[in-house]
Amino acid sequence: MLNIFTAVLLAAAGPAGAAAPERLTLQDTVRAGLVYDNGLKGAAAAREGAKAALDAARYARYGSLRLKGAYTYGDEPVYAFASAIRQDAFDMGAMSSAGNPDPIGNYMAGLEAGIPVYTGSGLSNAVRMAGLAREAAAEEYARARSVSAFRLTAQWLSVLLRRKLSEAAAGAVAAAETELGTARMLKEKGMVLGSDYYGAEAILSSFRGYSLESEKALRLEMEKLGLALGRGEVDAAGELSEAGYPGTDWGPTVNASGRRDIKALERAAEMAEIGRESAANSLLPVVEAFGTLEANSRTSADLRGNHLLGLRISVPLGDPGYFARKAAAAAASSSALSRLEHARVQAETERASALANYRTAVEGLAISRETLRNARLSLDLFRPLYRQGRQSVLETLRAQAAVFQAETAYYENLHRIALYHAQALLAVDALDDNAVARISASLSAK
């Protein structure tokens, strides 16, 4: 008996271990999603790498300092002669055997420094390009953050929409079942035509199909939202509503030319132009000041020191790849400019499309609201007539289907307003933390 009672309790409680999905506001969803987004982490790492590359380019101006050491042993005449001199061990015996010396060992330890004096703008161009690369990486990170915020917002809104559609479908099923229950009793008494009854049953079946699909779709959207946050199913703590959205008074002067991704491409075009200049200057000489401090000895305990200071110049007199390299750099610069112009046009197209979609959805709200009001009014008028025997159950459920379709269109319209509002903000690079907080407040659950 106890086992039976326990089984009944478990069945009533639902699947073992099942728990209600976590509910998050839009603001909390975006905050958590930005932390989890691996693509955004990659953009952040690229930004830090670009900063380090700029530091490296700046430090290159100070040249290099190298410690060197070696041990050699041999009887090659020039080597033996030079080693004896460096070791301060040269004497007349070494002179007499210069052509056939005895093997000699040499310990060498030294320090060498080189400082660039003139590089044909090579170092300055490297610093300029690294600085632009850092700026571009920062702009790309900021844009990637906005895009990630929009994706999270869109997914969160999808959960709200699917919940409303699921609720509407469940309500339609419940209402239709109530009407069919009454119709079933009247049919048994011969007061309802069989054709009307079975037609109404078909409408009820379609409602049940919609309800099943809506529930599955809701679960899928909640799972997708959870995946975006690195969690299980996540529900949206909000409601689609007709609440207005602050910051939607976009005038004709608002454009997308200042978007972060456009700025990043502008930096890339500047870098390509510097690369073209560097390729043109690659035939210029390179001058470096250098100095060496060296010690040599036959044993590691008795080193003899010497030093050398000087300037060295390197001039590429023959470089068969110069003109090809110059042409490639010019083509890269032209390509970067073309990509920039294409991106500007694309950004303006996205802005115009997003704003048009948002304004269309806002203007269509009154129509969808009026349609839903009239559908509900029609159903309210059908029900008493049906109960008085003046309307068939089939017509009543058709009226119920019209309400369901109008509800679906109304909620989809509310979803489009919220989605296109966020998309319009993204198109003009205004979907920041404050904008997300405003949208979250507008759609907060009442």
Side-chain angles (χ1 to χ4, degrees), residues 162-442:
R162 290 300 176 181
R163 186 199 302 147
K164 278 297 185 183
L165 296 184
S166 180
E167 291 172 355
V173 169
E177 286 178 341
T178 300
E179 300 298 344
L180 261 295
T182 303
R184 190 175 300 111
M185 292 186 295
L186 295 176
K187 175 177 174 294
E188 293 172 354
K189 297 178 181 180
M191 299 175 63
V192 173
L193 294 175
S195 59
D196 287 356
Y197 176 79
Y198 290 115
E201 281 279 11
I203 294 176
L204 173 58
S205 296
S206 68
F207 287 161
R208 287 171 175 162
Y210 289 136
S211 181
L212 177 62
E213 292 176 5
S214 298
E215 180 62 27
K216 295 295 184 183
L218 173 60
R219 288 294 175 184
L220 176 60
E221 296 304 323
M222 290 167 63
E223 183 179 359
K224 289 163 64 176
L225 183 58
L227 288 172
L229 306 182
R231 308 180 186 185
E233 285 186 358
V234 174
D235 198 0
E239 291 289 342
L240 290 175
S241 67
E242 295 187 16
Y245 300 100
T248 57
D249 186 19
W250 292 294
T253 59
V254 175
N255 56 59
S257 60
R259 271 177 27 174
R260 300 294 188 122
D261 52 341
I262 302 299
K263 291 180 179 178
L265 287 172
E266 289 173 349
R267 303 298 178 269
E270 293 180 52
M271 291 166 59
E273 178 60 20
I274 294 173
R276 187 191 65 78
E277 294 175 5
S278 297
N281 293 336
S282 61
L283 290 182
L284 294 176
V286 175
V287 181
E288 181 186 32
F290 70 92
T292 61
L293 179 62
E294 189 174 296
N296 295 270
S297 176
R298 226 167 255 203
T299 65
S300 59
D302 186 22
L303 295 173
R304 303 290 180 174
N306 61 78
H307 68 274
L308 180 66
L309 302 175
L311 285 173
R312 53 183 165 227
I313 183 170
S314 174
V315 182
L317 295 179
D319 185 356
Y322 170 75
F323 291 103
R325 188 167 59 251
K326 184 178 177 181
S333 178
S334 177
S335 176
L337 288 173
S338 297
R339 287 195 301 271
L340 173 60
E341 291 305 318
H342 174 76
R344 283 172 174 163
V345 173
Q346 185 67 25
E348 285 299 324
T349 302
E350 292 173 5
R351 177 199 61 82
S353 178
L355 289 179
N357 288 337
Y358 172 70
R359 288 166 178 162
T360 300
V362 170
E363 292 171 5
L365 179 60
I367 297 174
S368 63
R369 186 195 307 119
E370 182 67 13
T371 301
L372 177 57
R373 188 187 73 83
N374 289 334
R376 285 173 173 168
L377 180 60
S378 175
L379 178 61
D380 290 341
L381 293 175
F382 260 106
R383 278 174 174 160
L385 293 176
Y386 160 64
R387 293 183 180 115
Q388 294 169 13
R390 298 166 60 187
Q391 285 290 351
S392 71
V393 66
L394 179 60
E395 294 301 323
T396 303
L397 260 65
R398 284 175 176 168
Q400 183 69 56
V403 170
F404 173 65
Q405 292 172 356
E407 283 182 336
T408 298
Y410 174 71
Y411 292 131
E412 287 176 343
N413 203 143
L414 291 178
H415 172 261
R416 284 194 297 270
I417 291 174
L419 179 64
Y420 291 147
H421 173 246
Q423 191 174 47
L425 290 175
L426 176 68
V428 295
D429 225 0
L431 189 61
D432 54 15
D433 292 342
N434 291 331
V436 170
R438 290 194 296 268
I439 297 175
S440 182
S442 297

